[in-house]
Amino acid sequence: MTETFTPSTRFAVPGRIAVSNRAAALWQTATLTEIRPETPRAATFRFAVPAWAGHLPGQHLMLRLTADDGYTAQRHYSIASAPDDDGHLELTLDHVSGGEVSGWFHTRAQPGDEVQVRGPLSGFFAWPGDRPALLIGAGSGVVPLMSMVRHHRARGLDVPLRLLVSARGPEELIYAREYGAETLPVFTRSAPEGVPVGRLAAHHLAPLLAEGPTGGWEAYVCGSNAFAEHASRLLVRAGQPVDRIRIERFG
Amino acid sequence: MNVTRGFTGRPRAHRPGLPPGQYDAGDDWPVLSAEVTPDLAPADWTFRVDGLVAAPRTWDWDEAHALPRSAYEGDIHCVTSWSKFGVRFGGVSLDAFLDAVRPDTSATHAVAYAHTGYTTNLPLSDLTGGRAWIAWEYDGRPLAAEHGGPARLLVPHLYFWKSAKWIAGLRLLDHDEPGFWEQNGYHGRGNPWEEQRYAGD
């Protein structure tokens, strides 16, 4: 019997930031202003939300659609855009097969449409831009990570930031045109000429962890549960401390 | 009501047992832990109840399994808006553990903590009276690690973030002490029927 319990791992219990409970509890109207295709299956939806309290990269919101009989459907979505002072935010949504909410966005939505949002939510996956960030995403799991990359650029931050992004092939790589030297794409099914095909592996992480910045990386992993399990185990095996790994799983 | 132009929702019949704002996840069981799934063998699992109790105690795997078996068959609800109907968990009623430690009358709340360090807070009244379990079986099989195996807390009448995976213990308190998600903006209690999703709901 032990008198005081010590966790066998050291999960990063504290959130990264304090969150505003008031903003999280309030539904607001978001007006769709623009739709931009990203890949054959994903598009970015830009909204005007004039009273938006602002967010930090990595945070998400809850979005609600209402049918005329009063039926509602609500989903959590990561925010894709960097914090913006002019009352806009962007979401990038996959067209999920049979998806009730994503289906509406991809087949019916047009500029001028109104939906309800509340947030930003959760301080856990948020990145204020303070610590070196190692970002690992797959598919639309790159969305909250791209908010961090955009924030890093927009503010001209010099804190180290790297992005590993996994996609089946170049045509499915969301935000492909926006990546720079900070990003290494990993292609699992098909790749451009001369680029290897294969799953995210230890050899992708080893150099990044070996040359880690002073104080080490804060790792942010986002994607399907299968990907999150794979990537987080690779990180642990490569020596990344468990309490410096933050995971957002799509469920 | 803010009707969304052109949105009808998927074809649906009224589903009894579906709390407001939830949808039926069908066969899916999404995984939403924020931490790395721990490698925790049954032989290394322990469960402790302490704090405001007369006889704090730690059970190991075999000692916990020697308690009277209890099952839950029913529904579960996640704050991210999926619900799962007709799930079957096996384990032991939390009452069996609490009876053994004899809670003080001053105990009103508990913090549940996991082997990973995750925490969540609950009123003690949500943990007693046959409404909470330590569960190690799902659908007749050992609970998978990504769903909290070898053993998790199960409080099915509250949103599922209260059902701490990889449960390590309960500390009984005479006050409420927000846990991990509650410090990150989630509701203190999390009743799906009241839609207690976020602080302020």
Side-chain angles (χ1 to χ4, degrees), chain B residues 171-195:
Chain B
R171 182 155 300 137
L172 271 53
L173 308 168
D174 61 3
H175 60 278
D176 196 9
E177 201 172 284
F180 171 71
W181 282 122
E182 295 80 13
Q183 291 169 33
N184 276 282
Y186 284 67
H187 194 276
R189 178 151 184 259
N191 179 352
W193 297 95
E194 303 286 330
E195 280 204 86

PDB file of all heavy atoms in Angstrom, chain B residues 171-195:
ATOM      1  N   ARG B 171     -10.107   9.943  -4.289  1.00  0.00           N
ATOM      2  CA  ARG B 171      -9.833  10.633  -3.040  1.00  0.00           C
ATOM      3  C   ARG B 171     -11.100  11.356  -2.623  1.00  0.00           C
ATOM      4  O   ARG B 171     -11.627  12.175  -3.382  1.00  0.00           O
ATOM      5  CB  ARG B 171      -8.671  11.607  -3.219  1.00  0.00           C
ATOM      6  CG  ARG B 171      -8.287  12.325  -1.943  1.00  0.00           C
ATOM      7  CD  ARG B 171      -6.843  12.769  -1.975  1.00  0.00           C
ATOM      8  NE  ARG B 171      -5.973  11.609  -2.128  1.00  0.00           N
ATOM      9  CZ  ARG B 171      -4.923  11.565  -2.949  1.00  0.00           C
ATOM     10  NH1 ARG B 171      -4.600  12.606  -3.672  1.00  0.00           N
ATOM     11  NH2 ARG B 171      -4.188  10.472  -3.021  1.00  0.00           N
ATOM     12  N   LEU B 172     -11.602  11.031  -1.440  1.00  0.00           N
ATOM     13  CA  LEU B 172     -12.848  11.629  -0.955  1.00  0.00           C
ATOM     14  C   LEU B 172     -12.551  12.944  -0.232  1.00  0.00           C
ATOM     15  O   LEU B 172     -11.622  13.014   0.578  1.00  0.00           O
ATOM     16  CB  LEU B 172     -13.584  10.655  -0.032  1.00  0.00           C
ATOM     17  CG  LEU B 172     -14.564   9.699  -0.745  1.00  0.00           C
ATOM     18  CD1 LEU B 172     -13.890   8.950  -1.882  1.00  0.00           C
ATOM     19  CD2 LEU B 172     -15.201   8.730   0.242  1.00  0.00           C
ATOM     20  N   LEU B 173     -13.346  13.956  -0.552  1.00  0.00           N
ATOM     21  CA  LEU B 173     -13.118  15.313  -0.057  1.00  0.00           C
ATOM     22  C   LEU B 173     -14.411  15.886   0.508  1.00  0.00           C
ATOM     23  O   LEU B 173     -15.504  15.379   0.221  1.00  0.00           O
ATOM     24  CB  LEU B 173     -12.650  16.219  -1.215  1.00  0.00           C
ATOM     25  CG  LEU B 173     -11.467  15.744  -2.061  1.00  0.00           C
ATOM     26  CD1 LEU B 173     -11.335  16.605  -3.315  1.00  0.00           C
ATOM     27  CD2 LEU B 173     -10.186  15.800  -1.250  1.00  0.00           C
ATOM     28  N   ASP B 174     -14.271  16.976   1.264  1.00  0.00           N
ATOM     29  CA  ASP B 174     -15.471  17.666   1.757  1.00  0.00           C
ATOM     30  C   ASP B 174     -15.769  18.911   0.922  1.00  0.00           C
ATOM     31  O   ASP B 174     -16.469  19.813   1.353  1.00  0.00           O
ATOM     32  CB  ASP B 174     -15.331  18.025   3.244  1.00  0.00           C
ATOM     33  CG  ASP B 174     -14.153  18.955   3.504  1.00  0.00           C
ATOM     34  OD1 ASP B 174     -13.478  19.380   2.524  1.00  0.00           O
ATOM     35  OD2 ASP B 174     -13.888  19.254   4.687  1.00  0.00           O
ATOM     36  N   HIS B 175     -15.166  18.965  -0.278  1.00  0.00           N
ATOM     37  CA  HIS B 175     -15.399  20.094  -1.181  1.00  0.00           C
ATOM     38  C   HIS B 175     -15.158  19.613  -2.612  1.00  0.00           C
ATOM     39  O   HIS B 175     -14.602  18.537  -2.822  1.00  0.00           O
ATOM     40  CB  HIS B 175     -14.445  21.239  -0.857  1.00  0.00           C
ATOM     41  CG  HIS B 175     -12.996  20.851  -0.992  1.00  0.00           C
ATOM     42  ND1 HIS B 175     -12.310  20.177  -0.005  1.00  0.00           N
ATOM     43  CD2 HIS B 175     -12.128  20.999  -2.026  1.00  0.00           C
ATOM     44  CE1 HIS B 175     -11.064  19.946  -0.416  1.00  0.00           C
ATOM     45  NE2 HIS B 175     -10.933  20.430  -1.639  1.00  0.00           N
ATOM     46  N   ASP B 176     -15.575  20.417  -3.566  1.00  0.00           N
ATOM     47  CA  ASP B 176     -15.411  20.063  -4.977  1.00  0.00           C
ATOM     48  C   ASP B 176     -14.058  20.587  -5.467  1.00  0.00           C
ATOM     49  O   ASP B 176     -13.665  21.705  -5.138  1.00  0.00           O
ATOM     50  CB  ASP B 176     -16.552  20.701  -5.791  1.00  0.00           C
ATOM     51  CG  ASP B 176     -16.687  20.078  -7.173  1.00  0.00           C
ATOM     52  OD1 ASP B 176     -16.025  19.058  -7.443  1.00  0.00           O
ATOM     53  OD2 ASP B 176     -17.467  20.621  -7.978  1.00  0.00           O
ATOM     54  N   GLU B 177     -13.358  19.774  -6.243  1.00  0.00           N
ATOM     55  CA  GLU B 177     -12.020  20.154  -6.713  1.00  0.00           C
ATOM     56  C   GLU B 177     -11.924  19.806  -8.197  1.00  0.00           C
ATOM     57  O   GLU B 177     -11.819  18.627  -8.544  1.00  0.00           O
ATOM     58  CB  GLU B 177     -10.980  19.360  -5.908  1.00  0.00           C
ATOM     59  CG  GLU B 177      -9.607  19.958  -5.887  1.00  0.00           C
ATOM     60  CD  GLU B 177      -8.704  19.204  -4.892  1.00  0.00           C
ATOM     61  OE1 GLU B 177      -8.868  19.419  -3.676  1.00  0.00           O
ATOM     62  OE2 GLU B 177      -7.892  18.389  -5.343  1.00  0.00           O
ATOM     63  N   PRO B 178     -12.009  20.803  -9.081  1.00  0.00           N
ATOM     64  CA  PRO B 178     -12.065  20.518 -10.517  1.00  0.00           C
ATOM     65  C   PRO B 178     -10.908  19.655 -10.995  1.00  0.00           C
ATOM     66  O   PRO B 178      -9.775  19.797 -10.541  1.00  0.00           O
ATOM     67  CB  PRO B 178     -11.991  21.908 -11.152  1.00  0.00           C
ATOM     68  CG  PRO B 178     -12.475  22.834 -10.089  1.00  0.00           C
ATOM     69  CD  PRO B 178     -12.058  22.227  -8.781  1.00  0.00           C
ATOM     70  N   GLY B 179     -11.197  18.742 -11.909  1.00  0.00           N
ATOM     71  CA  GLY B 179     -10.189  17.864 -12.486  1.00  0.00           C
ATOM     72  C   GLY B 179      -9.649  18.428 -13.789  1.00  0.00           C
ATOM     73  O   GLY B 179      -9.752  19.629 -14.064  1.00  0.00           O
ATOM     74  N   PHE B 180      -9.086  17.540 -14.604  1.00  0.00           N
ATOM     75  CA  PHE B 180      -8.366  17.965 -15.802  1.00  0.00           C
ATOM     76  C   PHE B 180      -9.253  18.726 -16.785  1.00  0.00           C
ATOM     77  O   PHE B 180      -8.982  19.874 -17.136  1.00  0.00           O
ATOM     78  CB  PHE B 180      -7.751  16.739 -16.490  1.00  0.00           C
ATOM     79  CG  PHE B 180      -7.185  17.053 -17.840  1.00  0.00           C
ATOM     80  CD1 PHE B 180      -6.036  17.812 -17.962  1.00  0.00           C
ATOM     81  CD2 PHE B 180      -7.813  16.618 -18.997  1.00  0.00           C
ATOM     82  CE1 PHE B 180      -5.519  18.123 -19.204  1.00  0.00           C
ATOM     83  CE2 PHE B 180      -7.295  16.920 -20.237  1.00  0.00           C
ATOM     84  CZ  PHE B 180      -6.159  17.678 -20.351  1.00  0.00           C
ATOM     85  N   TRP B 181     -10.339  18.119 -17.256  1.00  0.00           N
ATOM     86  CA  TRP B 181     -11.174  18.810 -18.244  1.00  0.00           C
ATOM     87  C   TRP B 181     -11.955  19.953 -17.610  1.00  0.00           C
ATOM     88  O   TRP B 181     -12.251  20.950 -18.260  1.00  0.00           O
ATOM     89  CB  TRP B 181     -12.131  17.843 -18.947  1.00  0.00           C
ATOM     90  CG  TRP B 181     -11.451  17.038 -20.010  1.00  0.00           C
ATOM     91  CD1 TRP B 181     -11.381  15.672 -20.094  1.00  0.00           C
ATOM     92  CD2 TRP B 181     -10.743  17.538 -21.172  1.00  0.00           C
ATOM     93  NE1 TRP B 181     -10.657  15.303 -21.205  1.00  0.00           N
ATOM     94  CE2 TRP B 181     -10.255  16.416 -21.874  1.00  0.00           C
ATOM     95  CE3 TRP B 181     -10.456  18.814 -21.651  1.00  0.00           C
ATOM     96  CZ2 TRP B 181      -9.518  16.536 -23.056  1.00  0.00           C
ATOM     97  CZ3 TRP B 181      -9.715  18.937 -22.827  1.00  0.00           C
ATOM     98  CH2 TRP B 181      -9.260  17.804 -23.505  1.00  0.00           C
ATOM     99  N   GLU B 182     -12.297  19.786 -16.328  1.00  0.00           N
ATOM    100  CA  GLU B 182     -13.045  20.844 -15.660  1.00  0.00           C
ATOM    101  C   GLU B 182     -12.173  22.108 -15.558  1.00  0.00           C
ATOM    102  O   GLU B 182     -12.675  23.224 -15.664  1.00  0.00           O
ATOM    103  CB  GLU B 182     -13.498  20.383 -14.276  1.00  0.00           C
ATOM    104  CG  GLU B 182     -14.502  19.213 -14.314  1.00  0.00           C
ATOM    105  CD  GLU B 182     -13.846  17.861 -14.523  1.00  0.00           C
ATOM    106  OE1 GLU B 182     -12.599  17.775 -14.403  1.00  0.00           O
ATOM    107  OE2 GLU B 182     -14.557  16.881 -14.818  1.00  0.00           O
ATOM    108  N   GLN B 183     -10.854  21.922 -15.390  1.00  0.00           N
ATOM    109  CA  GLN B 183      -9.959  23.082 -15.393  1.00  0.00           C
ATOM    110  C   GLN B 183      -9.791  23.645 -16.803  1.00  0.00           C
ATOM    111  O   GLN B 183      -9.335  24.760 -16.991  1.00  0.00           O
ATOM    112  CB  GLN B 183      -8.577  22.699 -14.847  1.00  0.00           C
ATOM    113  CG  GLN B 183      -8.565  22.391 -13.368  1.00  0.00           C
ATOM    114  CD  GLN B 183      -7.254  21.753 -12.932  1.00  0.00           C
ATOM    115  OE1 GLN B 183      -6.193  22.050 -13.458  1.00  0.00           O
ATOM    116  NE2 GLN B 183      -7.343  20.834 -11.982  1.00  0.00           N
ATOM    117  N   ASN B 184     -10.152  22.830 -17.789  1.00  0.00           N
ATOM    118  CA  ASN B 184     -10.036  23.269 -19.184  1.00  0.00           C
ATOM    119  C   ASN B 184     -11.376  23.750 -19.743  1.00  0.00           C
ATOM    120  O   ASN B 184     -11.584  23.756 -20.955  1.00  0.00           O
ATOM    121  CB  ASN B 184      -9.468  22.140 -20.038  1.00  0.00           C
ATOM    122  CG  ASN B 184      -7.947  22.098 -19.980  1.00  0.00           C
ATOM    123  OD1 ASN B 184      -7.264  22.883 -20.632  1.00  0.00           O
ATOM    124  ND2 ASN B 184      -7.405  21.218 -19.153  1.00  0.00           N
ATOM    125  N   GLY B 185     -12.295  24.090 -18.862  1.00  0.00           N
ATOM    126  CA  GLY B 185     -13.512  24.745 -19.316  1.00  0.00           C
ATOM    127  C   GLY B 185     -14.754  23.879 -19.347  1.00  0.00           C
ATOM    128  O   GLY B 185     -15.833  24.363 -19.704  1.00  0.00           O
ATOM    129  N   TYR B 186     -14.602  22.580 -19.008  1.00  0.00           N
ATOM    130  CA  TYR B 186     -15.775  21.714 -19.037  1.00  0.00           C
ATOM    131  C   TYR B 186     -16.573  21.838 -17.745  1.00  0.00           C
ATOM    132  O   TYR B 186     -16.080  22.319 -16.729  1.00  0.00           O
ATOM    133  CB  TYR B 186     -15.360  20.258 -19.296  1.00  0.00           C
ATOM    134  CG  TYR B 186     -14.999  20.023 -20.744  1.00  0.00           C
ATOM    135  CD1 TYR B 186     -13.874  20.632 -21.296  1.00  0.00           C
ATOM    136  CD2 TYR B 186     -15.803  19.254 -21.569  1.00  0.00           C
ATOM    137  CE1 TYR B 186     -13.555  20.455 -22.626  1.00  0.00           C
ATOM    138  CE2 TYR B 186     -15.482  19.072 -22.914  1.00  0.00           C
ATOM    139  CZ  TYR B 186     -14.361  19.670 -23.437  1.00  0.00           C
ATOM    140  OH  TYR B 186     -14.054  19.498 -24.751  1.00  0.00           O
ATOM    141  N   HIS B 187     -17.806  21.377 -17.822  1.00  0.00           N
ATOM    142  CA  HIS B 187     -18.755  21.535 -16.714  1.00  0.00           C
ATOM    143  C   HIS B 187     -18.322  20.724 -15.488  1.00  0.00           C
ATOM    144  O   HIS B 187     -17.706  19.674 -15.615  1.00  0.00           O
ATOM    145  CB  HIS B 187     -20.132  21.067 -17.197  1.00  0.00           C
ATOM    146  CG  HIS B 187     -21.250  21.485 -16.293  1.00  0.00           C
ATOM    147  ND1 HIS B 187     -21.616  20.777 -15.175  1.00  0.00           N
ATOM    148  CD2 HIS B 187     -22.078  22.562 -16.345  1.00  0.00           C
ATOM    149  CE1 HIS B 187     -22.633  21.386 -14.580  1.00  0.00           C
ATOM    150  NE2 HIS B 187     -22.933  22.474 -15.264  1.00  0.00           N
ATOM    151  N   GLY B 188     -18.686  21.203 -14.302  1.00  0.00           N
ATOM    152  CA  GLY B 188     -18.307  20.523 -13.075  1.00  0.00           C
ATOM    153  C   GLY B 188     -18.956  19.168 -12.906  1.00  0.00           C
ATOM    154  O   GLY B 188     -18.340  18.239 -12.388  1.00  0.00           O
ATOM    155  N   ARG B 189     -20.213  19.020 -13.379  1.00  0.00           N
ATOM    156  CA  ARG B 189     -20.892  17.744 -13.156  1.00  0.00           C
ATOM    157  C   ARG B 189     -21.034  16.927 -14.426  1.00  0.00           C
ATOM    158  O   ARG B 189     -20.685  15.769 -14.450  1.00  0.00           O
ATOM    159  CB  ARG B 189     -22.262  17.972 -12.519  1.00  0.00           C
ATOM    160  CG  ARG B 189     -23.038  16.661 -12.315  1.00  0.00           C
ATOM    161  CD  ARG B 189     -23.994  16.684 -11.154  1.00  0.00           C
ATOM    162  NE  ARG B 189     -24.606  15.369 -10.973  1.00  0.00           N
ATOM    163  CZ  ARG B 189     -25.831  15.058 -11.387  1.00  0.00           C
ATOM    164  NH1 ARG B 189     -26.594  15.953 -11.970  1.00  0.00           N
ATOM    165  NH2 ARG B 189     -26.306  13.833 -11.199  1.00  0.00           N
ATOM    166  N   GLY B 190     -21.572  17.514 -15.498  1.00  0.00           N
ATOM    167  CA  GLY B 190     -21.621  16.798 -16.763  1.00  0.00           C
ATOM    168  C   GLY B 190     -22.802  15.864 -16.925  1.00  0.00           C
ATOM    169  O   GLY B 190     -22.650  14.723 -17.379  1.00  0.00           O
ATOM    170  N   ASN B 191     -23.999  16.333 -16.586  1.00  0.00           N
ATOM    171  CA  ASN B 191     -25.210  15.534 -16.799  1.00  0.00           C
ATOM    172  C   ASN B 191     -25.674  15.685 -18.248  1.00  0.00           C
ATOM    173  O   ASN B 191     -26.060  16.778 -18.665  1.00  0.00           O
ATOM    174  CB  ASN B 191     -26.296  16.015 -15.827  1.00  0.00           C
ATOM    175  CG  ASN B 191     -27.604  15.251 -15.997  1.00  0.00           C
ATOM    176  OD1 ASN B 191     -27.762  14.459 -16.926  1.00  0.00           O
ATOM    177  ND2 ASN B 191     -28.535  15.490 -15.096  1.00  0.00           N
ATOM    178  N   PRO B 192     -25.672  14.586 -19.032  1.00  0.00           N
ATOM    179  CA  PRO B 192     -26.035  14.701 -20.454  1.00  0.00           C
ATOM    180  C   PRO B 192     -27.470  15.170 -20.670  1.00  0.00           C
ATOM    181  O   PRO B 192     -27.773  15.822 -21.673  1.00  0.00           O
ATOM    182  CB  PRO B 192     -25.868  13.286 -21.001  1.00  0.00           C
ATOM    183  CG  PRO B 192     -25.158  12.510 -19.968  1.00  0.00           C
ATOM    184  CD  PRO B 192     -25.320  13.218 -18.655  1.00  0.00           C
ATOM    185  N   TRP B 193     -28.344  14.842 -19.740  1.00  0.00           N
ATOM    186  CA  TRP B 193     -29.768  15.196 -19.916  1.00  0.00           C
ATOM    187  C   TRP B 193     -29.994  16.675 -19.690  1.00  0.00           C
ATOM    188  O   TRP B 193     -30.975  17.242 -20.142  1.00  0.00           O
ATOM    189  CB  TRP B 193     -30.641  14.329 -19.010  1.00  0.00           C
ATOM    190  CG  TRP B 193     -30.482  12.909 -19.423  1.00  0.00           C
ATOM    191  CD1 TRP B 193     -29.625  11.985 -18.901  1.00  0.00           C
ATOM    192  CD2 TRP B 193     -31.137  12.289 -20.534  1.00  0.00           C
ATOM    193  NE1 TRP B 193     -29.707  10.825 -19.608  1.00  0.00           N
ATOM    194  CE2 TRP B 193     -30.627  10.967 -20.605  1.00  0.00           C
ATOM    195  CE3 TRP B 193     -32.091  12.701 -21.460  1.00  0.00           C
ATOM    196  CZ2 TRP B 193     -31.045  10.065 -21.585  1.00  0.00           C
ATOM    197  CZ3 TRP B 193     -32.516  11.812 -22.424  1.00  0.00           C
ATOM    198  CH2 TRP B 193     -31.995  10.511 -22.484  1.00  0.00           C
ATOM    199  N   GLU B 194     -29.072  17.313 -18.955  1.00  0.00           N
ATOM    200  CA  GLU B 194     -29.137  18.766 -18.753  1.00  0.00           C
ATOM    201  C   GLU B 194     -28.201  19.490 -19.703  1.00  0.00           C
ATOM    202  O   GLU B 194     -28.038  20.704 -19.613  1.00  0.00           O
ATOM    203  CB  GLU B 194     -28.744  19.105 -17.307  1.00  0.00           C
ATOM    204  CG  GLU B 194     -29.576  18.417 -16.236  1.00  0.00           C
ATOM    205  CD  GLU B 194     -30.961  19.027 -16.121  1.00  0.00           C
ATOM    206  OE1 GLU B 194     -31.096  20.230 -16.391  1.00  0.00           O
ATOM    207  OE2 GLU B 194     -31.908  18.282 -15.785  1.00  0.00           O
ATOM    208  N   GLU B 195     -27.541  18.751 -20.596  1.00  0.00           N
ATOM    209  CA  GLU B 195     -26.525  19.313 -21.494  1.00  0.00           C
ATOM    210  C   GLU B 195     -25.500  20.150 -20.742  1.00  0.00           C
ATOM    211  O   GLU B 195     -25.195  21.278 -21.129  1.00  0.00           O
ATOM    212  CB  GLU B 195     -27.163  20.121 -22.630  1.00  0.00           C
ATOM    213  CG  GLU B 195     -27.687  19.244 -23.739  1.00  0.00           C
ATOM    214  CD  GLU B 195     -27.773  19.988 -25.061  1.00  0.00           C
ATOM    215  OE1 GLU B 195     -26.767  20.033 -25.790  1.00  0.00           O
ATOM    216  OE2 GLU B 195     -28.846  20.526 -25.356  1.00  0.00           O
TER     217      GLU B 195
END
